[in-house]
Amino acid sequence: MSLFAWFRPRQVEESIRQRVAQLAAPAPLSEDSLRSQRWVVLDLETSGLNTHRDQVLSIGAVVIEDGAIDFSQQFERTLYQRDHKLTSSVLIHGLGPSAIAAGCDPAEALLELMTFIGDSPVLGFHAPFDQRMLARALKDHLGYRLQHPFLDLAELAPLLNPQLTLREAGLDDWTACFGLEAIARHNASADAMVTAELALILFSQARRQQLDSPALLDRQIQRWRRKGLQNHGF
């Protein structure tokens, strides 16, 4: 095999391309109230933390709509990965070879996910990681460019709660701070659900701080991020 064959983009079937073309385009973040926005809360379990090499193994997502978690709108898939290698990460997420072997076709699962997301913005905890992993999977399997806005609750929580100092500031720390408890940690669906519960608490705080729109919240996060960089001398 030619060395250059490794760099050729994966061929996407015509039927997949047609379905990709029918996906809804992402909407810009709204200036309307937080309550009026449909949000998709996303969590991924992966084979590791390398966004260039590791794979998406499972996806969990839940919808926040009309200011509440809509339990009728939930998404859960485990993805089949042909070249998946057993690593120490299985001790965290519990997705062993048999679970991966029984998983869904990645292209089909990703198409179903993007249909589920529609034009909605995405919420996550440490969202940039999930965003990069999902973007790479979508490009590899669907030839699709992810452009949906992502908001990171790991940034929003300290922004809205400057009086709190948490040593680790992970999802467990913030959920414990507000008395929340995940059914099972490092399970994509359970993590998405507890992340959605945390989001509702933070949205309530945001409204009290006159940050009552997705676009306004995003601008405030960007200002908070720039201020943090300046304080660290970057």
Side-chain angles (χ1 to χ4, degrees), residues 41-45 58-62 74-78 182-197:
V41 184
L42 178 72
D43 186 82
L44 306 179
E45 295 299 328
S58 70
I59 304 168
V62 65
Q74 297 186 56
F75 183 93
E76 182 176 12
R77 297 289 187 279
T78 297
I183 298 172
R185 282 290 282 116
H186 302 294
N187 170 280
S189 292
D191 282 354
M193 185 62 69
V194 77
T195 301
E197 293 172 358

Side-chain angles (χ1 to χ4, degrees), residues 191-211:
D191 282 354
M193 185 62 69
V194 77
T195 301
E197 293 172 358
L198 176 62
L200 291 179
I201 292 172
L202 296 177
F203 287 167
S204 178
Q205 292 182 330
R207 284 191 290 271
R208 291 197 296 270
Q209 297 179 35
Q210 287 74 54
L211 297 172

Side-chain angles (χ1 to χ4, degrees), residues 76-96:
E76 182 176 12
R77 297 289 187 279
T78 297
L79 276 60
Y80 170 74
Q81 299 290 2
R82 182 178 57 186
D83 54 350
H84 173 61
K85 295 179 176 60
L86 187 63
T87 67
S88 59
S89 65
V90 72
L91 299 175
I92 299 174
H93 51 60
L95 293 168

Side-chain angles (χ1 to χ4, degrees), residues 139-159:
K139 180 180 178 182
D140 287 349
H141 291 285
L142 304 180
Y144 178 87
R145 182 185 175 194
L146 181 64
Q147 295 181 293
H148 290 66
F150 277 63
L151 267 67
D152 188 6
L153 299 187
E155 292 183 311
L156 183 58
L159 183 159

Side-chain angles (χ1 to χ4, degrees), residues 131-142:
Q131 185 177 16
R132 287 192 289 270
M133 291 296 294
L134 179 60
R136 198 182 107 232
L138 289 167
K139 180 180 178 182
D140 287 349
H141 291 285
L142 304 180

Side-chain angles (χ1 to χ4, degrees), residues 41-119:
V41 184
L42 178 72
D43 186 82
L44 306 179
E45 295 299 328
T46 64
S47 60
L49 300 177
N50 188 313
T51 57
H52 301 288
R53 183 184 65 237
D54 286 309
Q55 299 170 315
V56 175
L57 301 181
S58 70
I59 304 168
V62 65
V63 167
I64 293 175
E65 196 162 23
D66 296 325
I69 297 170
D70 185 345
F71 293 96
S72 71
Q73 298 187 68
Q74 297 186 56
F75 183 93
E76 182 176 12
R77 297 289 187 279
T78 297
L79 276 60
Y80 170 74
Q81 299 290 2
R82 182 178 57 186
D83 54 350
H84 173 61
K85 295 179 176 60
L86 187 63
T87 67
S88 59
S89 65
V90 72
L91 299 175
I92 299 174
H93 51 60
L95 293 168
S98 60
I100 300 303
C104 304
D105 172 66
E108 186 66 32
L110 291 165
L111 266 169
E112 291 173 355
L113 172 66
M114 297 314 297
T115 300
F116 178 84
I117 291 175
D119 66 354

Side-chain angles (χ1 to χ4, degrees), residues 214-232:
L216 184 57
L217 209 55
D218 183 54
R219 290 194 293 270
Q220 191 70 9
I221 289 173
Q222 293 183 39
R223 283 194 290 268
W224 182 84
R225 189 184 301 152
R226 288 194 296 269
K227 183 178 178 181
L229 291 174
Q230 290 169 359
N231 290 340
H232 286 85

